[in-house]
Amino acid sequence: MRPITALTVSEGRLFLRDGLSVSMGLLFPSLLLVVLGSALPGFREADPDMGGLRPIDVYVPIVVAMALANIAITTLPTHLATHRERGVLRRMATTPAGPGPLLGAQLIVNVIAMLVSVGIAITLGVTVLGVPLPESVFAFAGVLLLATLAMFAIGLLLSAVTPTAKAASGAGMLVYFPMLFFAGVWTPGPTMPETVRRIAEFTPLGAASQALSDAWSGASVAPLSLAVMAGYAIAISLLAARLFRWS
Amino acid sequence: MSVIELRNLTKRYGDTVAVRDVSLTVEAGEIFGIIGPNGAGKTTTVEMAAGLRRPDGGTVRVLGLDPRTDGRDLRREVGMQLQEAALPDKIRVGEAMRLYASFYPRPADWRELLDVLGLGEKQNTAFAKLSGGQKQRLSIALALIGNPRVAFLDELTTGLDPAARRETWDLIESVRNRGVTVVLVSHFMEEVDRLCDRIAIIEGGRVLAVDSPAGLIGAATAEQRIRFVPETPLPAGFLSDEPGVTVDASGRAVVVTGAGDLLFTVVSALASAGIRPRELRMDQTTLDDAFLTLTGRALDEN
């Protein structure tokens, strides 16, 4: 096996052995969706304020954005910071493989985990809660890809500037909750106040959430959302690459 | 044949000079010790030799390779056990071995290596569940998994109990017996004294001396000292015709100081005078004394 393959298998196994990564990274978004959809009374009834959609229909793309944030902001930086703190990256640097493939393996594992988490949420939404499939699957996939680039860049920046795993998860929480707020986790769809929406358009997860919702409902995706995500993806990646330390 | 050649290595961290003008040569098949107090520049020196840090000045050749340009080739031939480099808590011993074996072109048989290191039974144990000694042995196993020609072992036995430390020493000897050149960084005098063919004493980023343990001790020892209590009083002028030997018979115990083969001189003079010595004691110079002489302070004073 090539180093990157062996490392991806190994990192994947470690991800699955970590209870917090599995619960937060893989299961929590789906759990939230199912609980809201089945426990809250009004969530499965058409709402005239939402153009006849049910709140749960509006909520699925928001949960997808949350699934992305859980991986990019909580599991990825914590795993990378732990590896650095414990000297795993340094030990890798003594081998012919170097530390690079470990970073690559982490990215692969976390992207797979994110896709699995999103996949579970959408499957449950469609099968259990009767949410219609995205109007435009390609637009949705394209937006998800761009959102992934932006959010993973932020995750990498977090792991670049935090010296320890504790600091990484602390800093992660500081950006995680505001991001969820702007993504509309507490104020889905039309219930978000207009001022908040204006601000949210310029935050990475807010832009992602709005673009994912547009793609899901078949509306044309706002160019601003795409530009905001692309801007974060490029600027933050460059910054993270500059600041990342291997040891 | 020289396996490692360091010439005039210098490394600064900001205003602090960690290593200044260090030159060392390590021969094939030897266990070479680098000893000195904390912060002396030992680790920085080995990390530059292994290509983990870039020197500010000077040259490094390991097996004829320059870490700056041939880093990858070099890391195939060099195993390194780093100070305080752990593994993820939940990785199992066998998984770690298989993973690290995949990084090298011709890895050692990892099961056999685990058996040799006494970890054969621990294949399915998670790293976090290993004892301190077992973690160290796994770390050595990972340093040897690529069948290296040179192994750098940094502060290998720090934090181990004396029994585990002795086991580790046996292990290092068996590594050398496999034909691996070993560079051992330590701040335990007993360890380098027991294991090393040659030792470099480093302090304040400089090499103060390089020699065999016996050579270092010999160079530091001008005089030996023998004490004994004679059963009957010494004859007048005892040993007075021996050049360079002084006798102090003022107390209950007689103290003889001098250079050369002092013990033989004293014992044969006592025998010919028919006097039995009691409580005979010879003050043996140790590597600690040699270190003290060279650096002006004891190793454990840091």
Side-chain angles (χ1 to χ4, degrees), chain A residues 33-56:
Chain A
L33 189 70
V34 170
V35 166
L36 287 178
S38 47
L40 289 189
F43 246 70
R44 295 174 76 171
E45 276 152 38
D47 185 343
D49 286 346
M50 293 193 173
L53 286 171
R54 302 173 304 161
I56 196 69

Side-chain angles (χ1 to χ4, degrees), chain A residues 45-67:
Chain A
E45 276 152 38
D47 185 343
D49 286 346
M50 293 193 173
L53 286 171
R54 302 173 304 161
I56 196 69
D57 301 331
V58 176
Y59 212 73
V60 172
I62 295 173
V63 163
V64 169
M66 176 192 227

Side-chain angles (χ1 to χ4, degrees), chain A residues 26-38:
Chain A
L26 290 184
L27 305 178
F28 183 75
S30 299
L31 189 71
L32 180 72
L33 189 70
V34 170
V35 166
L36 287 178
S38 47

Side-chain angles (χ1 to χ4, degrees), chain A residues 8-226:
Chain A
T8 305
V9 171
S10 173
E11 291 301 305
R13 209 159 30 203
L14 293 174
F15 187 101
L16 291 176
R17 280 181 197 157
D18 181 39
L20 195 64
S21 297
V22 171
S23 56
M24 275 296 281
L26 290 184
L27 305 178
F28 183 75
S30 299
L31 189 71
L32 180 72
L33 189 70
V34 170
V35 166
L36 287 178
S38 47
L40 289 189
F43 246 70
R44 295 174 76 171
E45 276 152 38
D47 185 343
D49 286 346
M50 293 193 173
L53 286 171
R54 302 173 304 161
I56 196 69
D57 301 331
V58 176
Y59 212 73
V60 172
I62 295 173
V63 163
V64 169
M66 176 192 227
L68 175 55
N70 282 8
I71 293 288
I73 305 300
T74 67
T75 67
L76 174 72
T78 315
H79 284 266
L80 279 177
T82 307
H83 281 336
R84 183 174 50 223
E85 184 181 0
R86 311 209 59 191
V88 178
L89 290 172
R90 254 163 67 75
R91 191 194 288 280
M92 287 293 302
T94 70
T95 74
L102 183 57
L103 180 60
Q106 265 297 322
L107 290 172
I108 293 172
V109 166
N110 279 285
V111 166
I112 293 173
M114 185 272 290
L115 291 175
V116 169
S117 176
V118 166
I120 299 174
I122 292 180
T123 307
L124 286 176
V126 171
T127 57
V128 178
L129 302 168
V131 174
L133 279 168
E135 283 293 319
S136 166
V137 175
F138 285 114
F140 184 79
V143 170
L144 185 61
L145 174 68
L146 193 55
T148 303
L149 293 175
M151 291 302 290
F152 272 56
I154 294 169
L156 285 175
L157 179 65
L158 279 172
S159 58
V161 297
T162 49
T164 63
K166 255 197 176 124
S169 65
M173 286 303 114
L174 277 183
V175 293
Y176 176 70
F177 288 107
M179 276 187 177
L180 289 192
F181 173 74
F182 286 119
V185 168
W186 292 281
T187 51
T191 58
M192 184 181 281
E194 194 52 32
T195 333
V196 176
R197 177 186 305 283
R198 287 267 167 71
I199 301 170
E201 278 176 345
F202 291 95
T203 69
L205 201 63
S209 171
Q210 289 178 20
L212 287 168
S213 300
D214 288 345
W216 194 286
S217 66
S220 62
V221 177
L224 175 67
S225 306
L226 299 178

Side-chain angles (χ1 to χ4, degrees), chain B:
Chain B
M1 188 193 86
S2 299
V3 163
I4 301 172
E5 281 184 35
L6 310 180
R7 297 239 174 286
N8 313 104
L9 279 193
T10 302
K11 181 76 187 177
R12 282 178 213 89
Y13 298 117
D15 290 339
T16 324
V17 184
V19 170
R20 52 186 95 204
D21 205 26
V22 163
S23 298
L24 289 174
T25 312
V26 178
E27 305 298 326
E30 70 177 340
I31 301 184
F32 188 89
I34 297 182
I35 194 156
N38 289 335
K42 307 184 293 282
T43 295
T44 307
T45 303
V46 229
E47 288 185 347
M48 287 191 287
L52 281 181
R53 285 181 200 280
R54 190 159 286 219
D56 294 324
T59 57
V60 176
R61 289 289 179 282
V62 176
L63 300 161
L65 299 167
D66 181 348
R68 260 183 277 209
T69 52
D70 320 308
R72 208 184 166 85
D73 290 337
L74 181 71
R75 290 194 296 269
R76 291 195 171 125
E77 306 291 344
V78 169
M80 186 152 192
Q81 127 79 33
L82 292 162
Q83 207 178 332
E84 286 167 16
L87 286 170
D89 275 342
K90 289 187 176 159
I91 199 164
R92 294 181 190 148
V93 170
E95 290 167 359
M97 294 298 283
R98 225 170 316 162
L99 176 64
Y100 279 72
S102 78
F103 303 153
Y104 295 90
R106 28 172 190 78
D109 179 340
W110 62 267
R111 287 187 185 83
E112 187 200 322
L113 201 52
L114 285 183
D115 283 338
V116 171
L117 290 163
L119 291 170
E121 308 285 295
K122 296 284 169 189
Q123 271 186 44
N124 292 318
T125 306
F127 180 74
K129 297 265 162 71
L130 297 176
S131 72
Q134 289 165 343
K135 284 179 181 168
Q136 283 297 38
R137 277 182 276 155
L138 178 57
S139 197
I140 301 173
L142 293 175
L144 299 177
I145 187 73
N147 264 327
R149 291 163 67 191
V150 182
F152 291 99
L153 307 173
D154 192 357
E155 298 284 359
L156 197 59
T157 62
T158 303
L160 295 191
D161 62 55
R165 187 171 293 156
R166 285 198 165 70
E167 273 175 32
T168 312
W169 291 347
D170 292 342
L171 200 71
I172 295 170
E173 278 173 337
S174 73
V175 169
R176 188 255 299 273
N177 295 340
R178 294 160 84 112
V180 181
T181 304
V182 177
V183 176
L184 184 72
V185 174
S186 179
H187 64 265
F188 288 117
M189 208 48 100
E190 194 191 348
E191 182 166 294
V192 289
D193 194 8
R194 149 94 194 264
L195 288 174
C196 296
D197 300 302
R198 289 191 306 140
I199 299 168
I201 295 183
I202 294 190
E203 200 208 14
R206 285 180 215 276
V207 178
L208 297 183
V210 182
D211 208 336
S212 63
L216 286 173
I217 293 167
T221 327
E223 294 194 320
Q224 295 166 308
R225 198 204 304 232
I226 292 171
R227 288 166 44 99
F228 59 90
V229 179
E231 260 188 359
T232 50
L234 291 180
F238 179 74
L239 286 176
S240 60
D241 50 351
E242 283 290 327
V245 174
T246 55
V247 179
D248 176 4
S250 56
R252 186 178 77 93
V254 175
V255 179
V256 183
T257 43
D261 215 351
L262 190 64
L263 185 62
F264 181 75
T265 310
V266 171
V267 170
S268 43
L270 284 170
S272 60
I275 299 169
R276 276 172 198 278
R278 287 188 294 124
E279 299 171 38
L280 177 70
R281 208 175 70 203
M282 180 161 177
D283 290 348
Q284 188 100 43
T285 311
T286 64
L287 206 49
D288 282 300
D289 300 323
F291 187 86
L292 184 63
T293 312
L294 282 162
T295 66
R297 60 169 168 158
L299 186 57
D300 49 16
E301 260 174 29
N302 51 78

